[in-house]
Amino acid sequence: MTKLLIENLSKSFGESQVLNQLSLHVKEAEFVSILGPSGSGKSTLFQLIGGLYSPDSGEIRLDGKRINGKTGSISYTPQSPSLLPWRTVLGNILLGGELVGETDEAAALDMINKAGLKGYENAYPYELSGGMKQRVAFIRSLLSPQSLICLDEPFSALDEFTRLEMQNWLLSVWEEDKRAILLVTHNIEEALYLSDRIIVLSEKPTQVKKEFIVPFPRPRQAALLLSEEFLHWKKKIYNELRVIM
Amino acid sequence: MKIWYKGWRPALVLILLFIIWEVSCRLFEIPKWLLPSPTQILLEGAAGWPNYYRHLTSTIGLAIIGFLIGSSVGIAVAIGLHLIPKLREALYPIIILSQNIPIIVLAPLLVIWFGFGILPKLIVITLVCFFPITVAALDGFRQTSSELMHYMKMAGALKKQIFWKLEWPYALPSIFSGLKISATYSVMGAVISEWLGAKEGIGVYMTLASSSFRTDRVFVAIFLIMVLSLVFFALIVSLERMIVKWKPKGDGKGRD
């Protein structure tokens, strides 16, 4: 079943056309990555899905309902953790649900324990490391009641070790409770390791250039990253992107 | 402990100043009505307590009520101007202009309009108090981190939620800066308003003292005003410490 359906989406800011007749979809319980060169309108696409702007033309549908220009339909994790500094870890995690009127403290505490943040429930963000903050931001969006999770380069500010650890953690959480995830990234390895399907975007005005279905079985292990097949795929996508860049 | 460690330098300067003052008064035999020495002021301060204590309590009461009204008005105006940008455009210059009217000129006019009651006094204190808070709060609201704003909008926060869950707490440290300034101003405002005509208050005590050449009492009044302002300031600082707990300790710039 299709969770998110985007059809012929176009958007211009003044003179420059950012999106041109872009179409894509995300199925129920599917992990889709959007890969594109920087400045390819990835952020604009997210802002349209998030409802911050309305598209010039085209449709955005979530569960069949039109959500053009409507905020609050998705759960969102930004590039930086964006935690409210005056809220504790627990308070921040509850925020996502609070905004739409549903909070579940027991689930939040349970998730905090599972994420290895036990004992930090009442800590303020300034007391946490970068990886921990990002983990809190993930939990916040995982516990938001919306059914589609949009991740906007959430690993890009982390160091290599923390990143792999966080990716594995995210996969393990996601495999327990499969929800539709749309991830924007510029990291090929990350897209391959995490997703079921990869959508490569063109330069501006942005369209879908190519789509790859990732064949690796789940659950995935870190060892996959060094396998022959993985490298082969990485090369294939890299070549696709190189034409653009 | 830290305050003693840090505070010894200014304390030393103050003590030196008092010593020079005392010695000069004695050496040059300056008459008491012209410039009393610190010991004379201290003695009057101790002996005159029954004379001025009701003046003191009256001023404290007036300053507190005025400060509460002034800061509420200040915060309310800031919220209004922030939430309605058109109102801000229209009113912001007028608010700045309101601060350019000399209070000392305005005060007698207020008496003509509103009589000798408490109302003109509260208006003076409110006028003095609301401005620093309004400006500080408006700045605080406008400086709200764009990153957090982006998240809140993407997560579907309504305008009301954005204000109460993001902009308001984000502006709290700025609002407290405004409150600190206003708290000290409120004492000044109370004293000025008492000059207009009141039955009691430090302002009255001061006027009576200076017209009867009791310069020592004028100085007692000055010190009372200074101590009162400091106490008000300290109260706001401790209130801020209680409410703004999310900043790293011992570091003023924990807001990023």
Side-chain angles (χ1 to χ4, degrees), chain A residues 186-197:
Chain A
H186 49 225
N187 187 327
I188 301 173
E189 241 175 69
E190 181 172 297
L192 267 175
Y193 186 51
L194 297 176
S195 38
D196 298 317
R197 197 148 52 85

Side-chain angles (χ1 to χ4, degrees), chain B residues 24-248:
Chain B
S24 329
C25 278
R26 286 175 190 232
L27 207 63
F28 304 116
E29 290 174 354
I30 301 173
K32 194 179 163 188
W33 58 268
L34 196 62
L35 180 68
S37 71
T39 46
Q40 283 167 330
I41 296 167
L42 201 69
L43 285 175
E44 175 56 34
W49 170 257
N51 288 332
Y52 64 72
Y53 109 96
R54 71 191 168 86
H55 292 298
L56 188 63
T57 49
S58 159
T59 302
I60 293 176
L62 190 61
I64 290 177
I65 297 172
F67 173 68
L68 290 179
I69 296 177
S71 44
S72 318
V73 170
I75 291 174
V77 168
I79 293 176
L81 295 194
H82 174 68
L83 293 182
I84 311 169
K86 281 191 180 125
L87 209 62
R88 182 174 62 216
E89 266 170 50
L91 290 185
Y92 199 62
I94 295 171
I95 286 173
I96 294 172
L97 274 180
S98 81
Q99 293 305 300
N100 298 336
I101 307 168
I103 286 289
I104 219 88
V105 178
L106 188 68
L109 281 179
L110 288 173
V111 171
I112 295 173
W113 295 334
F114 302 107
F116 285 98
I118 197 169
L119 184 63
K121 299 184 180 68
L122 290 180
I123 293 177
V124 167
I125 305 173
T126 303
L127 269 177
V128 173
C129 279
F130 94 96
F131 185 70
I133 297 175
T134 301
V135 172
L138 270 178
D139 277 351
F141 293 144
R142 287 173 73 169
Q143 278 164 11
T144 305
S145 141
S146 54
E147 226 171 60
L148 294 178
M149 188 63 102
H150 179 71
Y151 169 74
M152 290 295 273
K153 283 184 178 163
M154 285 294 279
L158 309 169
K159 205 177 173 193
K160 197 174 109 193
Q161 289 173 323
I162 288 181
F163 181 76
W164 287 114
K165 291 185 197 295
L166 175 62
E167 292 177 309
W168 172 257
Y170 203 92
L172 267 183
S174 305
I175 292 173
F176 270 107
S177 305
L179 285 176
K180 279 180 228 167
I181 300 173
S182 295
T184 55
Y185 279 12
S186 70
V187 180
M188 279 304 274
V191 171
I192 291 175
S193 73
E194 284 162 357
W195 285 345
L196 303 176
K199 283 197 255 347
E200 49 192 12
I202 302 287
V204 177
Y205 175 77
M206 209 174 189
T207 325
L208 288 177
S210 70
S211 56
S212 56
F213 289 95
R214 286 299 300 265
T215 315
D216 52 346
R217 288 188 178 172
V218 175
F219 273 98
V220 169
I222 292 175
F223 284 120
L224 286 178
I225 292 170
M226 285 164 71
V227 170
L228 216 54
S229 301
L230 276 179
V231 169
F232 275 35
F233 188 85
L235 282 177
I236 300 293
V237 170
S238 44
L239 192 66
E240 181 181 14
R241 289 222 176 113
M242 260 156 53
I243 294 177
V244 184
K245 280 183 295 198
W246 59 84
K247 284 192 194 174

Side-chain angles (χ1 to χ4, degrees), chain A residues 115-128:
Chain A
L117 290 169
K118 197 175 169 61
Y120 286 97
E121 298 88 352
N122 296 315
Y124 286 99
Y126 75 86
E127 297 168 283
L128 306 179

Side-chain angles (χ1 to χ4, degrees), chain A residues 44-102:
Chain A
T44 307
L45 177 62
F46 258 28
Q47 286 167 357
L48 288 173
I49 298 173
L52 293 199
Y53 306 108
S54 287
D56 297 339
S57 66
E59 293 265 297
I60 307 167
R61 287 180 179 275
L62 187 70
D63 293 321
K65 271 197 311 205
R66 197 179 130 106
I67 56 161
N68 287 20
K70 198 165 156 276
T71 58
S73 320
I74 56 155
S75 150
Y76 176 66
T77 301
Q79 201 165 349
S80 64
S82 299
L83 304 179
L84 303 183
W86 48 87
R87 284 185 176 230
T88 58
V89 165
L90 182 62
N92 266 296
I93 287 173
L94 292 175
L95 177 70
E98 212 177 292
L99 293 176
V100 283
E102 297 172 40

